[in-house]
Amino acid sequence: MKKVLITGANSFVGINIEKWLMKTPDEFQVDTVDTMNDVWKQADFTKYDTVFHVAGIAHVDPKPEMAPLYYKVNRNLTIEIAKHAKENGVKQFIFMSSGIVYHASKSLKGDVKTLDTVPRPNDFYGDSKLQAEIGLHKLESPLFKVCILRPPMIYGPGNKGNLPRLGWLATKTPIFPAWHNKRSMLYVENLAEFVKQCIVRQMHGTFFPQNAEYSDTVEIVRQFAKEHHHKIWISKIFNPFVWLGSFFLPAIPKMFSDSYYVQEMSKYDFDYQLVSFEDSIKGLEIRKTMK
């Protein structure tokens, strides 16, 4: 039996990983601990084989004055907990980093990541995650394996990210541009299975889990509209407005540009892409307001 400690209680990812692992209670014992106010220091790390560190400040278009807090939580706290885990005999440390460690394009040109793409974050959220990765690599040893995950956007039931907002838009707008794109995304159950395999196989290194298929903003809107019985006219006639708006509205490139990992980066010798993208967005709740 693998004994796992999730640092970051009540997080969207942490809750879903715990539920997934506990589907096979004969294989896993899972505990969670909060990282606020040093509560984690009261936990007995000597009991665990793996620490899955998911705690951190999320990407929310932060103000510059918040930078010190991001580095304190996303970098310093991560390294401090990893050191403590290593000193207490934990064999594996899994860190939830992010695809944001790469340079995110802010134009319709988009970005494509390969194994040769060098991380070059363009905000302090991404840099705080990258600096945490660098610190973790310094702790690696044959007895302390570091497993770093750089997922794209994660979504699923209960998540409050941009996908539910796009779903809301799809049920309200009568028109939408046919500006097709490719984006890497990761359904939370596919992530959970990937984490399970990381634990079982005691994996170490840097990994790039994603869905088996790329998403397309146009097709997402089409499916949400269809599911909610909303008539929508999708046409290339409106594409010039996308191109023009991209120079003035940051939300336009976020919605319509390409942003993906090449699929070869995400193929491993086990199957974790259990849920197709089409099935994963069926029945997802929608959320009013768009950023």
Side-chain angles (χ1 to χ4, degrees):
M1 175 181 286
K2 295 290 186 181
K3 297 180 180 180
V4 181
L5 177 65
I6 298 176
T7 51
N10 301 317
S11 68
F12 170 69
V13 169
I15 289 171
N16 280 277
I17 298 299
E18 180 182 12
K19 287 181 179 178
W20 191 261
L21 295 180
M22 290 312 297
K23 287 185 175 183
T24 51
D26 55 324
E27 294 183 56
F28 297 97
Q29 174 189 316
V30 184
D31 296 319
T32 62
V33 64
D34 200 347
T35 57
M36 298 289 289
N37 302 317
D38 290 337
V39 173
W40 62 272
K41 292 182 179 180
Q42 300 173 19
D44 181 6
F45 278 59
T46 62
K47 300 190 301 183
Y48 302 104
D49 303 296
T50 296
V51 168
F52 176 57
H53 183 65
V54 71
I57 301 180
H59 190 217
V60 291
D61 296 326
K63 298 178 181 179
E65 57 266 27
M66 293 180 64
L69 181 60
Y70 272 70
Y71 286 105
K72 178 181 179 181
V73 175
N74 290 347
R75 179 190 62 191
N76 300 357
L77 180 62
T78 298
I79 296 170
E80 184 180 3
I81 292 176
K83 285 181 178 178
H84 186 75
K86 182 178 181 179
E87 290 168 358
N88 283 274
V90 174
K91 300 179 181 68
Q92 183 191 40
F93 190 88
I94 303 176
F95 174 52
M96 277 293 295
S97 187
S98 170
I100 203 68
V101 299
Y102 295 101
H103 188 85
S105 174
K106 296 185 178 182
S107 72
L108 287 175
K109 181 180 179 181
D111 58 87
V112 181
K113 277 86 72 175
T114 72
L115 286 173
D116 295 324
T117 304
V118 177
R120 191 165 52 90
N122 50 358
D123 63 21
F124 52 78
Y125 169 69
D127 189 58
S128 66
K129 287 286 191 178
L130 182 59
Q131 293 301 319
E133 291 186 16
I134 293 170
L136 291 176
H137 283 308
K138 294 178 180 178
L139 297 174
E140 286 181 295
S141 75
L143 298 178
F144 186 69
K145 297 180 178 179
V146 173
C147 181
I148 292 172
L149 309 184
R150 290 180 183 168
M153 188 185 87
I154 300 168
Y155 67 98
N159 181 240
K160 297 180 180 180
N162 288 328
L163 187 60
R165 298 187 184 98
L166 183 61
W168 173 82
L169 178 65
T171 64
K172 300 300 178 184
T173 182
I175 60 174
F176 199 80
W179 190 291
H180 293 275
N181 60 358
K182 291 195 295 185
R183 300 187 72 87
S184 290
M185 294 173 63
L186 181 59
Y187 185 53
V188 70
E189 288 190 359
N190 291 340
L191 168 64
E193 178 61 22
F194 190 87
V195 171
K196 176 181 177 179
Q197 294 299 325
C198 287
I199 296 169
V200 170
R201 298 164 184 264
Q202 285 289 288
M203 292 163 55
H204 61 96
T206 302
F207 302 94
F208 316 89
Q210 65 175 321
N211 289 340
E213 316 94 338
Y214 295 127
S215 63
D216 179 341
T217 298
V218 176
E219 297 308 318
I220 293 173
V221 166
R222 195 191 306 276
Q223 184 160 330
F224 271 119
K226 180 180 178 181
E227 188 170 331
H228 289 267
H229 309 290
H230 175 68
K231 291 184 178 181
I232 188 170
W233 181 29
I234 298 175
S235 173
K236 291 183 179 179
I237 292 175
F238 310 114
N239 285 8
F241 296 101
V242 175
W243 177 83
L244 185 62
S246 69
F247 294 100
F248 307 101
L249 301 173
I252 298 296
K254 278 187 178 181
M255 188 183 299
F256 292 105
S257 64
D258 288 339
S259 181
Y260 62 92
Y261 291 121
V262 296
Q263 286 288 351
E264 290 74 18
M265 296 172 67
S266 306
K267 300 297 183 183
Y268 303 97
D269 58 356
F270 55 87
D271 183 18
Y272 67 94
Q273 297 161 325
L274 306 181
V275 184
S276 70
F277 181 74
E278 181 177 353
D279 288 341
S280 72
I281 65 172
K282 288 179 179 177
L284 282 185
E285 66 273 29
I286 61 176
R287 186 184 181 205
K288 191 174 181 180
T289 72
M290 292 286 293
K291 284 189 177 180

